[in-house]
Amino acid sequence: MKILVTGGAGYIGSIVTEQLIAAGEEVVVFDNLSQGHRAAVHPKATFVQGDLQDRPAIDALLETHKPDAVMHFASKTLVGESMQEPFLYLGENVICGLNLLQSMVEHGVKRFILSSTANLFDDPERMPIDENERIVPGSPYGESKHILERFLHWMDRIYGMRYAALRYFNACGASEERGEDHHPELHLIPIVLQVAQGKREKVTIFGDDYPTPDGTCVRDYIHVLDLAQAHILALRALDKGSRRYNLGNGQGFSVKQVIETAREVTGHPIPAEVGPRRPGDPDVLVASSETIRRELGWQPRYTDLKDIIASAWKWHLAHPDGYGE
Ligand code: UFG
């Protein structure tokens, strides 16, 4: 199959591209390099630099490359930023997705995989969170993904487009060649590893008065290679019908557990101090991924936090300046 990967120069998109190519698929990456890195794009992928706000560029892309399926990673992804600049998310994220979907309909491309988010579940009634949980977006970022999921419902119903909406919990880890290199870095695991690398003095724990066993927030850290596997399985199942899956490894780890495990993995003391809560952080977010396990036989390989952090650490050691751009 030929797959168009938007955002294929970004963290998750570049690793899914790598895994698609390893699985024998042909990949065209479309990325504006606003957050991604040219060096992260797999050398066997065709790279087209462009912006999803540019509708004629998308039309030209689909006309030239005629993909069989689209995986849409390109997105603004920061929950906090979306609370400061809602129009960037409710505007740009939604308009880019809409441009892509409209162009796909006009060019007869009928398979779509959306990078969605656990930020759909701000106020869950049950833990772990399965696909029947009510959707309460936690921010304009989560709302932008919810709107795209709703668009997809109608694309399926009206045009027969088959889609999978994959709601990632906390993506982390690295492959041998590709890893996480954000500027600025705001995610817990890479921040903790930057302390171990001597790039930061300490990590601040955002609150230790949550109703959790050690008082710090609990998250479901899912390895990016397990995410990639889920994309490949979802792609192969698309023709049997559209679907939505929550993707996590099903276990929660607290901020303190992450820091402690990173100390073990890196051998660095990783100084930590407790600061105030970060506004908008839910206390616990853990996924139930029973549906994708049952329907597609997805089996996460990285369930041990130590292995997850070790894979990220290995990449950071081999790439001390990330992609160096
Ligand atoms: N944290 C700290 N100190 C830091 C950074 C993070 O204590 O310096 C804490 C956060 O408060 C949170 C946990 O570490 O409790 C994880 O924080 P991240 O920023 O790494 O990830 P989030 O859980 O906030 O966000 C992730 C994805 C989002 C997605 C969200 C879904 O990055 O894209 O999960 O809930 F929307």
Side-chain angles (χ1 to χ4, degrees):
M1 251 198 244
K2 192 192 267 190
I3 298 137
L4 169 64
V5 175
T6 75
Y11 169 44
I12 304 174
S14 67
I15 293 176
V16 175
T17 294
E18 168 195 293
Q19 295 298 308
L20 284 168
I21 288 172
E25 310 291 359
E26 194 181 337
V27 179
V28 178
V29 165
F30 187 72
D31 198 301
N32 66 8
L33 298 183
S34 65
Q35 296 155 79
H37 307 274
R38 180 65 184 86
V41 179
H42 194 288
K44 287 194 180 152
T46 302
F47 178 65
V48 179
Q49 184 167 351
D51 200 302
L52 291 169
Q53 296 186 82
D54 181 357
R55 180 62 210 278
I58 306 173
D59 291 339
L61 182 74
L62 297 187
E63 268 152 39
T64 307
H65 296 284
K66 302 187 172 30
D68 303 296
V70 175
M71 291 192 183
H72 179 42
F73 297 90
S75 175
K76 301 224 163 269
T77 58
L78 301 174
V79 171
E81 180 185 62
S82 81
M83 297 295 284
Q84 308 293 326
E85 300 203 50
F87 290 108
L88 265 185
Y89 287 75
L90 295 169
E92 208 174 300
N93 270 5
V94 172
I95 288 163
C96 288
L98 189 61
N99 281 340
L100 183 59
L101 290 171
Q102 276 186 322
S103 189
M104 284 175 66
V105 167
E106 285 174 22
H107 291 85
V109 185
K110 295 202 169 188
R111 298 183 189 93
F112 189 90
I113 297 192
L114 175 70
S115 298
S116 189
T117 175
N119 196 244
L120 298 188
F121 309 112
D122 195 45
D123 188 18
E125 290 180 318
R126 289 174 307 276
M127 200 63 64
I129 301 170
D130 66 22
E131 292 80 5
N132 296 319
E133 182 58 56
R134 63 189 177 147
I135 292 181
V136 181
S139 67
Y141 165 64
E143 188 73 64
S144 73
K145 297 292 185 176
H146 179 47
I147 292 168
L148 291 180
E149 287 199 7
R150 292 303 306 160
F151 278 145
L152 287 171
H153 165 80
W154 292 107
M155 296 300 102
D156 181 328
R157 191 152 156 199
I158 297 170
Y159 300 111
M161 186 184 287
R162 298 292 179 249
Y163 71 89
L166 303 181
R167 288 92 170 246
Y168 314 155
F169 282 60
N170 289 60
C172 55
S175 70
E176 286 291 323
E177 308 206 338
R178 293 175 179 79
E180 200 166 0
D181 181 12
H182 295 119
H183 299 274
E185 187 52 74
L186 299 171
H187 295 109
L188 179 63
I189 292 177
I191 285 178
V192 166
L193 296 180
Q194 285 179 352
V195 179
Q197 281 181 299
K199 292 185 177 175
R200 292 177 191 248
E201 272 178 32
K202 57 177 190 266
V203 53
T204 302
I205 297 170
F206 297 147
D208 68 350
D209 57 352
Y210 285 93
T212 60
D214 67 17
T216 65
C217 290
V218 170
R219 294 287 179 275
D220 183 330
Y221 295 90
I222 173 168
H223 197 281
V224 64
L225 287 174
D226 288 328
L227 273 184
Q229 203 48 41
H231 284 75
I232 291 172
L233 292 171
L235 177 71
R236 299 201 168 135
L238 272 188
D239 291 349
K240 289 187 222 136
S242 295
R243 51 201 71 230
R244 297 172 186 176
Y245 295 126
N246 294 356
L247 280 176
N249 81 43
Q251 298 177 74
F253 298 103
S254 73
V255 175
K256 281 187 180 167
Q257 282 177 303
V258 168
I259 297 171
E260 195 47 50
T261 307
R263 287 178 180 136
E264 269 176 56
V265 167
T266 63
H268 188 284
I270 309 185
E273 68 174 15
V274 177
R277 288 184 176 199
R278 183 173 67 177
D281 273 341
D283 46 7
V284 179
L285 279 179
V286 177
S288 162
S289 298
E290 284 314 307
T291 315
I292 186 168
R293 284 173 189 260
R294 190 178 60 247
E295 292 186 3
L296 304 186
W298 179 69
Q299 191 75 45
R301 283 188 299 148
Y302 293 85
T303 50
D304 182 356
L305 185 60
K306 205 166 169 182
D307 295 340
I308 292 177
I309 294 181
S311 93
W313 180 232
K314 191 172 168 200
W315 190 80
H316 284 283
L317 283 180
H319 304 83
D321 298 314
Y323 290 104
E325 286 167 4

